[in-house]
Amino acid sequence: MPAPPSDARSLAAVCVSVTPCGDDGVILRIKTETPQPPLRAARFWMLRREDRLSPAIPRPFSLYRQEGDEMEFLIKVMGQGTKALAACTPGTKLRAIGPLGNGWPTLDGEGDPWVMLAGGIGSAPFWMGVEQALRGMDGHAPCPASKLTILYGAAKQGLLYDLEAFRTLGVRVETCTMDGSAGLKGHVLQLLEHLQAQGVLPKRVRLLACGPERMLEAVEAYARQQQLPCWLSLESMMGCGVGICNGCPVPTRPEGPLGSWSNAKCCVEGPVFSTDCITLAH
Ligand SMILES: Cc1cc2nc3c(=O)[nH]c(=O)nc-3n(C[C@H](O)[C@H](O)[C@H](O)COP(=O)(O)OP(=O)(O)OC[C@H]3O[C@@H](n4cnc5c(N)ncnc54)[C@H](O)[C@@H]3O)c2cc1C
Ligand code: FES
């Protein structure tokens, strides 16, 4: 039975700052009671306030950035949990459970280029992903910037959260919006095909994607059709985050490495899954 990561803890934390970001987002910076070692990009934390303003069940958020003993989360304000976090002020007491989940695969520079498909707030796990790839992961040489591309899409310009920060990473960042207010008019797969048609990106790429479920379904279908390696970071609803509540099932592919069970647990076996292992197709 998959277990939560051995480094996960329930930690007291305090809010350091909350900075508005985009039309409906914030960057929440927190400091935990014990400093964290450098954490892998696309791992996540369950967060809630210690006062009664948060729901009893903490909410999961990808680690956006880590600096010394402080961590940042890029949060789209949706309901009670995210509203409570966005309303924190410096010193607000928080509970942070983590680090949870697995994180991106090793982003090496030895094979086909990596293309990161970010949909709206799904950009959160990519900032550190690029940073870690450029530094070199798991004993691999640094991945050259020329092999890393972020395709950042959203419904409209104001939902391309913290775009300028992504542009400082030193890799190609291309944008698209459904209403045409920034970048190409259309979605991230149209942007990918557009850049391939222009010869900017080759046909053979390795895909990483994070975003709304409908986008991830389309990315999975595209990757399968084009026979491209692909990893999805899922933002399923979660209850416990540690494998107990069975609230985050993801259908597995019977012929894949996780196929001995019909569902995987997103919180402990993910949130990053290779499309060889799971399927979002209903
Ligand atoms: C591993 C993981 C990483 C995540 N990383 C981030 C992140 O970095 N930044 C971020 O803003 N969000 C992230 N999310 C999503 C975030 O957890 C939810 O937006 C949050 O739980 C909503 O809580 P709420 O109380 O504000 O909204 P609720 O009151 O719980 O819900 C409000 C509305 O949003 C819908 N909703 C809630 N959660 C989701 C979801 N996961 N997907 C689609 N619709 C949902 C509900 O159906 C409802 O309509 C992540 C989720 C997971 C599982
Ligand atoms: S969220 Fe409880 S088992 Fe995954």
Side-chain angles (χ1 to χ4, degrees), residues 238-241 243-248 265 267:
M238 286 187 183
C240 66
I244 296 167
C245 73
N246 285 328
C248 60
K265 291 183 181 184
C267 61

Side-chain angles (χ1 to χ4, degrees), residues 254-269:
E255 70 281 21
L258 299 177
S260 55
W261 290 88
S262 53
N263 285 292
K265 291 183 181 184
C266 184
C267 61
V268 285
E269 292 171 273

